[in-house]
Amino acid sequence: MTAAIALEGLPTFLGNTRSQLKKRTLLFRYLAIINLILGGWYLTWRMTQSVNWEAWWISLPLLMAEIYGYVGGLLFIVGLWRPLVRQVRSLSQLMPAMPRPHWPTVDVFITCYNEPADLVEKTVRAALAMDYPADKLRVYILDDGNAPTMRAMAEQLCLEDLQSPDLQCLSQSLQTERQRLVQKQDELKAAQLDLHQLDNRTAPPLEPYRRLIQRVTTLLNPAQQSVEQQLSTAINQIKESIHHQELALTDLARCRYIARPKPAGRPHHAKAGNINYAMFSGQTTGEFILTLDADHIPKPQFLQRVLPYFFDYNLRKGRYEANAVAFVQTPQSFYNLPHDDPFSHRAQLFYGPIQQGKDGLNSAFYTGTNAVLRREALVTTGLQNFSQAFEQDSDRLSEFELIGGFSSCSITEDMNTAMRLHATGWRSVYHDEILAVGLAPDDLSSTLKQRLRWAQGTLQVLQTENPLTKPGLSFWQRLQYFQTMYSYFAGFATLVFLVCPLVYFFSGVIPVEAFGPAFGLHFLPVYIVNRLTFIAIAWGISAAEIWRSEQYGVALFPLFIQSVWSVFLKRPLTFQVTPKQRQSGVYLKLVWPQLTLFCLLILGILWAGIQLALGNLNNPSTYWVNVGWSLYSLCLLWAVIRASVWSPSTLS
């Protein structure tokens, strides 16, 4: 019965991994090409026939915003052109099997700073409970806050883990093996003593024969060691094995605590420095590193599902060998999201078609948690970048253990680290299976801090390591990284789109000369095909989530503008840990730009409506076009305004 169940769980595909295009990709491609053609046709009409040159001060910004949107759409389509869906056998189901002694060692890095110890404890317990050999797994709490409560929790979990059945069984096995080696050593020493005593005998009848045997042995094989030398060699080898067993017995602790020193006057590089210290301080040695945020709880099968991507079977040599995969990223999922997700954290569009598309172009992003990385790739790439930084500034030698692995030149160290790995020839994989769940910010203040850090850090990378000019990246990788950076300039275009109806409502000035049938003829086909294209690639994702993503893409325009402003004016940027506990309160002051535009649009609709009723507007169709435009904008802005006053108690 058990065997039958095991067979049912085996994959049906041949080989250990399989990748194929996502369903409906060809449909998406056809629609995308039509979308780009119609978009180009619309922009040509806009540039040649519909610009209101008498109001160039608003007409040209609108045209530039539309061109920006078209280029962004082109880059977005390129990124979705080859979305891959991957399948993999678990490590214990590989064909042919990988012997357990050959399984790699893994270090789990749980990064924390000021999180509650009980929250981190859940993550640590889950990491220790993963389905992986106990002697090949180490879990490290990287406490950048050096909190006594965190250290005490780590020590308590370490003691508990040492008493677990797995560790007790491993300890007994090591002790049994040590006893066997000691017994064998004693036997060899006894044989060595007997041989020594035999050599010291001087009985005349035996002496000629003994010398004759030694002479014949030497003539037959001059390189052969004497029996005594062979015994000495065997005894030394067993001594070394006993020493290794003793070390293994003293090294059984799997739950460990690392709090790095933070000397005053030196940069510490936040999360990147925390991880790099753990890598280069000599306290960790695992071949692979699983990075987890403090609140992300891994599932038992995490390592078994991810590690097979790092190995290829060599038929000629008959064994598994390491390949060029540097990291495997899995989705982020959250267990505390309300049913309507008011903050748009359920990022199934990104951790779905977008990451799958990047995977198809060997440019999947590392997002800081729920990923396994190859230590060799991090070390070699980190050292290469450190040497370049040292050439520019020799004073940075003291920072070696902090900047030698993960990138420290941006507050989004994850994306920059992935780009550096790709630039040095390493590959990446996106595995679309939820293998860990965490906590999402459930208040607007924490959400905006997180999004601001993402935007600022991404633009920092554009400023310091422009992917368009960075050596080593492929053409498609350059486009993928640049598209992400390009998207954060959308705040300026969004502001123009929101202001244009207001200009018309309160002044009567229109940026488009033809808001009648000609506008509808050129705009509506583009809009309809654009929607169909998006539906094709986002098939399977709920309409509510897609709509919420679109709302936040527009409603966060002040944050995007702030990001560009702060980065390019070289304002000091600091890494801020996203709070893991709800920050209660009403945050209308954080959305005052959106709230102001929201109110102005409503007033504009009413004011222009009164003018229409009084007969003061010459072209009623232009009014209704702008009303439709404004209502759409109001629906988009409402998401973040509602989120500013949302609280769990308001959920139905």
Side-chain angles (χ1 to χ4, degrees):
M1 182 68 177
T2 305
I5 295 174
L7 288 173
E8 289 178 3
L10 289 174
T12 57
F13 58 89
L14 297 176
N16 291 323
T17 62
R18 182 175 72 171
S19 61
Q20 55 189 357
L21 282 178
K22 185 180 176 69
K23 291 182 179 179
R24 300 176 186 83
T25 296
L26 293 181
L27 173 63
F28 162 76
R29 290 176 177 177
Y30 291 135
L31 290 172
I33 292 172
I34 297 171
N35 188 22
L36 292 174
I37 293 173
L38 290 176
W41 174 59
Y42 169 78
L43 283 178
T44 302
W45 172 78
R46 285 283 289 114
M47 290 185 287
T48 58
Q49 300 183 40
S50 65
V51 176
N52 183 1
W53 292 105
E54 294 182 0
W56 61 268
W57 48 273
I58 188 64
S59 298
L60 290 182
L62 176 60
L63 180 61
M64 293 174 63
E66 290 177 300
I67 294 173
Y68 170 87
Y70 181 80
V71 174
L74 173 62
L75 293 173
F76 187 69
I77 286 172
V78 170
L80 295 171
W81 197 254
R82 191 171 180 267
L84 290 183
V85 176
R86 292 184 181 268
Q87 293 175 284
V88 65
R89 293 180 184 272
S90 296
L91 193 61
S92 58
Q93 296 178 338
L94 294 181
M95 295 178 60
M98 178 185 286
R100 284 204 167 222
H102 295 174
W103 287 17
T105 54
V106 180
D107 291 336
V108 182
F109 286 178
I110 300 173
T111 55
C112 50
Y113 179 67
N114 57 1
E115 294 84 358
D118 56 347
L119 183 147
V120 180
E121 181 179 345
K122 296 177 183 178
T123 303
V124 177
R125 288 185 181 278
L128 291 169
M130 286 191 293
D131 182 15
Y132 207 70
D135 59 331
K136 293 182 177 293
L137 180 68
R138 296 287 182 273
V139 179
Y140 295 89
I141 301 171
L142 309 186
D143 181 18
D144 224 20
N146 197 6
T149 53
M150 196 74 73
R151 184 185 294 272
M153 180 270 292
E155 293 173 351
Q156 179 61 34
L157 286 184
C158 180
L159 292 175
E160 289 184 19
D161 187 54
L162 286 172
Q163 298 172 8
S164 66
D166 286 346
L167 267 295
Q168 290 293 314
C169 181
L170 179 59
S171 174
Q172 184 61 43
S173 175
L174 290 171
Q175 289 176 358
T176 301
E177 178 63 15
R178 180 184 178 280
Q179 291 173 359
R180 187 187 69 80
L181 290 171
V182 169
Q183 182 179 357
K184 187 173 181 180
Q185 182 187 41
D186 292 340
E187 292 174 356
L188 289 174
K189 284 183 176 180
Q192 187 181 43
L193 180 61
D194 291 342
L195 181 63
H196 182 68
Q197 291 174 349
L198 179 63
D199 287 342
N200 290 335
R201 291 177 185 173
T202 57
L206 293 176
E207 186 64 22
Y209 296 103
R210 187 175 61 80
R211 290 180 179 178
L212 178 61
I213 292 172
Q214 288 181 350
R215 184 178 179 185
V216 171
T217 303
T218 304
L219 288 172
L220 290 175
N221 188 1
Q224 185 178 6
Q225 293 178 323
S226 68
V227 176
E228 187 172 359
Q229 288 175 322
Q230 292 182 42
L231 284 172
S232 297
T233 301
I235 290 171
N236 290 333
Q237 290 175 346
I238 290 178
K239 280 184 179 179
E240 186 176 350
S241 298
I242 293 173
H243 179 65
H244 287 319
Q245 294 295 320
E246 291 172 345
L247 287 177
L249 281 167
T250 60
D251 199 38
L252 281 177
R254 296 192 304 163
C255 179
R256 306 186 180 195
Y257 177 86
I258 298 178
R260 60 172 170 151
K262 290 186 174 181
R266 282 180 54 186
H268 300 134
H269 304 299
K271 181 179 178 180
N274 189 16
I275 296 176
N276 287 339
Y277 178 81
M279 286 179 58
F280 288 95
S281 63
Q283 301 181 59
T284 67
T285 58
E287 299 168 66
F288 293 92
I289 296 171
L290 165 59
T291 57
L292 294 171
D293 282 350
D295 57 292
H296 277 71
I297 301 173
K299 295 185 177 182
Q301 68 271 29
F302 197 123
L303 296 177
Q304 292 250 12
R305 299 293 296 152
V306 168
L307 287 174
Y309 286 110
F310 292 98
F311 300 94
D312 293 329
Y313 189 75
N314 188 322
L315 285 171
R316 185 170 58 84
K317 296 182 179 179
R319 67 187 183 200
Y320 285 93
E321 294 181 342
N323 54 30
V325 173
F327 66 90
V328 177
Q329 178 66 56
T330 69
Q332 289 191 33
S333 183
F334 306 99
Y335 60 84
N336 66 324
L337 293 181
H339 70 278
D340 57 348
D341 188 16
F343 306 107
S344 189
H345 292 309
R346 193 178 284 110
Q348 291 184 10
L349 186 62
F350 178 78
Y351 288 108
I354 293 178
Q355 276 281 53
Q356 289 170 332
K358 293 182 184 299
D359 190 19
L361 299 174
N362 189 28
S363 55
F365 280 12
Y366 167 56
T367 59
T369 185
N370 304 357
V372 175
L373 302 99
R374 190 189 300 272
R375 181 185 289 265
E376 178 191 356
L378 286 171
V379 171
T380 55
T381 301
L383 290 177
Q384 178 178 327
N385 282 276
F386 174 77
S387 64
Q388 295 171 355
F390 178 70
E391 287 178 3
Q392 299 174 2
D393 183 4
S394 59
D395 292 338
R396 303 197 76 182
L397 181 61
S398 61
E399 299 178 65
F400 169 75
E401 75 276 14
L402 301 180
I403 65 176
F406 283 71
S407 168
S408 59
C409 71
S410 167
I411 56 177
T412 53
E413 75 296 326
D414 42 19
M415 189 267 285
N416 193 203
T417 298
M419 188 172 75
R420 288 180 170 184
L421 289 167
H422 285 134
T424 51
W426 290 96
R427 290 167 31 218
S428 61
V429 167
Y430 175 66
H431 179 69
D432 190 24
E433 178 183 358
I434 295 175
L435 295 172
V437 291
L439 285 172
D442 59 353
D443 63 87
L444 187 64
S445 175
S446 302
T447 299
L448 294 183
K449 285 180 181 178
Q450 185 184 64
R451 305 289 174 90
L452 181 63
R453 175 167 57 84
W454 292 349
Q456 288 177 330
T458 302
L459 293 172
Q460 268 185 318
V461 177
L462 174 63
Q463 201 175 44
T464 58
E465 297 183 36
N466 189 335
L468 296 180
T469 58
K470 186 174 180 63
L473 293 176
S474 70
F475 174 77
W476 303 111
Q477 288 171 336
R478 295 181 194 279
L479 289 185
Q480 286 305 288
Y481 284 104
F482 180 73
Q483 186 271 331
T484 301
M485 300 165 183
Y486 180 88
S487 67
Y488 285 114
F489 291 91
F492 299 100
T494 301
L495 181 60
V496 172
F497 289 133
L498 293 172
V499 166
C500 281
L502 293 176
V503 172
Y504 167 75
F505 288 144
F506 292 108
S507 69
V509 174
I510 55 174
V512 181
E513 281 193 343
F515 257 143
F519 176 78
L521 176 65
H522 289 83
F523 175 77
L524 288 179
V526 176
Y527 181 79
I528 292 172
V529 174
N530 180 275
R531 296 289 94 183
L532 292 175
T533 305
F534 202 76
I535 290 172
I537 197 61
W539 194 272
I541 302 175
S542 69
E545 182 178 344
I546 294 174
W547 172 241
R548 188 57 48 83
S549 299
E550 188 173 353
Q551 286 179 307
Y552 268 82
V554 170
L556 294 184
F557 75 92
L559 183 145
F560 298 152
I561 293 174
Q562 179 187 352
S563 302
V564 176
W565 187 266
S566 60
V567 171
F568 285 90
L569 290 183
K570 299 187 181 301
R571 300 281 179 85
L573 304 179
T574 57
F575 184 100
Q576 295 188 27
V577 178
T578 305
K580 301 300 187 298
Q581 294 178 315
R582 175 172 172 77
Q583 313 296 300
S584 60
V586 175
Y587 297 103
L588 285 172
K589 64 180 180 180
L590 296 180
V591 296
W592 68 265
Q594 295 95 325
L595 190 59
T596 301
L597 282 170
F598 190 89
C599 295
L600 287 175
L601 285 171
I602 293 175
L603 291 175
I605 292 171
L606 296 175
W607 172 256
I610 294 173
Q611 300 305 310
L612 178 65
L614 295 175
N616 295 333
L617 292 182
N618 297 327
N619 192 343
S621 63
T622 302
Y623 169 77
W624 291 112
V625 168
N626 280 277
V627 167
W629 186 346
S630 299
L631 290 176
Y632 181 65
S633 299
L634 289 172
C635 292
L636 294 172
L637 293 173
W638 175 246
V640 73
I641 295 173
R642 174 180 175 269
S644 68
V645 298
W646 179 89
S647 63
S649 59
T650 63
L651 290 174
S652 57

